[in-house]
Amino acid sequence: MISDYRSQKLSLTLGHLYPDQLNLYGDRGNILTLQRRCQLRGIELRVVGLGVGDALAPDEYDLLFIGGGQDKEQAPVAQDLHEMKGIGMWAAIEDDMPVLAVCGGFQLLAHYYRPAEGPDMRGLGVFDAWTEHKGSQVPRCIGDIAIRWGDQTLVGFENHGGRTYLGTAQPLGRVIKGHGNNAEDHTEGAIYRNAFGTYLHGSLLPKNPHFADYLLELALQRKYNHAESENVPSFNSVATEHGSTVLELPRTSLPSLLAPLDDTLEWEAHASLLERLGLYTEAASVLRAHIDSFRLV
């Protein structure tokens, strides 16, 4: 076990799946954010690209990322996921490795994606969900979006024609403004163990430092404190007095392995997007919470 991150040289290896095929709307910005946040803390983050034809050996990685792409790019990726990476991906997820899957990556980790034209693309079925594209006559889900993530907010940009519907899967969050999974039921994304699917693109981690650090913390705790924590924290849902459910973020008794950073610019960008969506109360609350927490550092 590591009791003090300052006395140890921490390192992580991130597997970036299909960096050439699935990189729409700045999804690489999520990788750059993780690299920068590690660099500022003296943590080595090695990024390894995994393209079509490359096997995925789960023991070689600490977290995984898969971005979004157009339908024509997703077809060969869907085939490769099953033929080359499926077993390794499942092993990693069942061992609680953190995985972030954005847009097309999210769709391909669910049961299937049904495009407007052509055959269904079979997914891995990690998330109990499915996606259907209803054709060009139905407007795309496009624009800025804000969701409720536990008792906090996540902001980002979405642009997808497919509508995703959840079976028993827990959503990542609830839509405050924007479309989310399907523009119907106010859900956004999906969760299975420490795998997170979402439609929020490359502005996700740059404008949500708390979520970026959450992924890094999960990866570090899994790697360095695995012997003391057999169950890496996972999300739960709790019933409210009105009978609905809300996300309850996991807590861990293990000490954080991440040094605090000055995220003033990130939180200002987060609040600015909330303001652009007309969520002025939420924006003020975010800035107030950041100021209060920074004073405690």
Side-chain angles (χ1 to χ4, degrees):
M1 171 193 172
I2 291 180
S3 59
D4 185 353
Y5 60 82
R6 295 178 182 86
S7 66
Q8 301 285 340
K9 177 64 175 179
L10 305 182
S11 65
L12 294 170
T13 300
L14 184 153
H16 184 179
L17 278 68
Y18 313 107
D20 297 324
Q21 294 89 352
L22 303 182
N23 185 32
L24 282 180
Y25 311 121
D27 284 340
R28 199 181 298 270
N30 291 313
I31 302 293
L32 296 176
T33 295
L34 293 174
Q35 288 179 309
R36 180 59 175 165
R37 297 187 73 78
C38 283
Q39 179 186 31
L40 290 171
R41 293 167 164 127
I43 301 170
E44 178 186 359
L45 178 64
R46 187 169 68 101
V47 179
V48 178
L50 292 167
V52 172
D54 295 330
L56 196 167
D59 292 345
E60 296 180 4
Y61 305 98
D62 302 301
L63 63 163
L64 299 172
F65 174 78
I66 177 171
Q70 298 178 352
D71 287 2
K72 63 181 181 180
E73 295 165 325
Q74 287 183 215
V77 166
Q79 181 177 354
D80 185 77
L81 268 176
H82 281 279
E83 295 180 354
M84 296 298 301
K85 299 180 178 62
I87 294 176
M89 176 72 79
W90 265 110
I93 291 172
E94 291 295 340
D95 195 37
D96 286 319
M97 186 182 298
V99 176
L100 177 60
V102 173
C103 198
F106 169 29
Q107 295 169 351
L108 292 179
L109 291 192
H111 292 304
Y112 66 84
Y113 171 60
R114 179 165 295 159
E117 299 178 357
D120 290 359
M121 300 179 198
R122 185 163 61 103
L124 286 185
V126 172
F127 305 118
D128 183 15
W130 61 95
T131 303
E132 300 177 2
H133 194 302
K134 299 186 178 181
S136 58
Q137 72 278 7
V138 178
R140 294 179 65 83
C141 297
I142 182 170
D144 293 328
I145 178 174
I147 70 172
R148 185 71 61 191
W149 181 58
D151 58 357
Q152 303 179 77
T153 52
L154 296 178
V155 300
F157 173 79
E158 59 179 336
N159 187 346
H160 54 102
R163 263 61 170 179
T164 295
Y165 299 91
L166 304 183
T168 60
Q170 179 76 37
L172 174 65
R174 296 285 172 179
V175 176
I176 306 172
K177 281 289 184 72
H179 301 281
N181 285 338
N182 50 52
E184 299 170 24
D185 61 16
H186 304 289
T187 63
E188 205 295 312
I191 300 168
Y192 176 72
R193 302 183 77 93
N194 286 326
F196 305 92
T198 180
Y199 277 112
L200 277 64
H201 275 283
S203 56
L204 172 59
L205 298 188
K207 293 183 179 179
N208 297 283
H210 52 319
F211 190 55
D213 279 358
Y214 186 74
L215 295 174
L216 291 174
E217 188 75 63
L218 284 176
L220 289 167
Q221 296 288 358
R222 177 180 176 273
K223 180 175 182 177
Y224 291 103
N225 284 326
H226 197 273
E228 291 203 6
S229 180
E230 294 183 0
N231 296 312
V232 176
S234 58
F235 281 77
N236 297 306
S237 61
V238 295
T240 68
E241 60 181 345
H242 302 294
S244 60
T245 59
V246 296
L247 289 177
E248 182 182 58
L249 299 189
R251 299 290 182 261
T252 173
S253 59
L254 297 173
S256 174
L257 298 177
L258 292 176
L261 298 176
D262 179 1
D263 290 325
T264 299
L265 291 178
E266 288 81 358
W267 283 116
E268 286 178 350
H270 184 109
S272 177
L273 197 150
L274 289 173
E275 289 178 346
R276 192 155 67 238
L277 290 170
L279 301 171
Y280 303 108
T281 300
E282 287 82 356
S285 176
V286 161
L287 291 178
R288 187 163 53 248
H290 169 67
I291 292 172
D292 290 344
S293 63
F294 190 63
R295 286 172 178 169
L296 298 175
V297 176

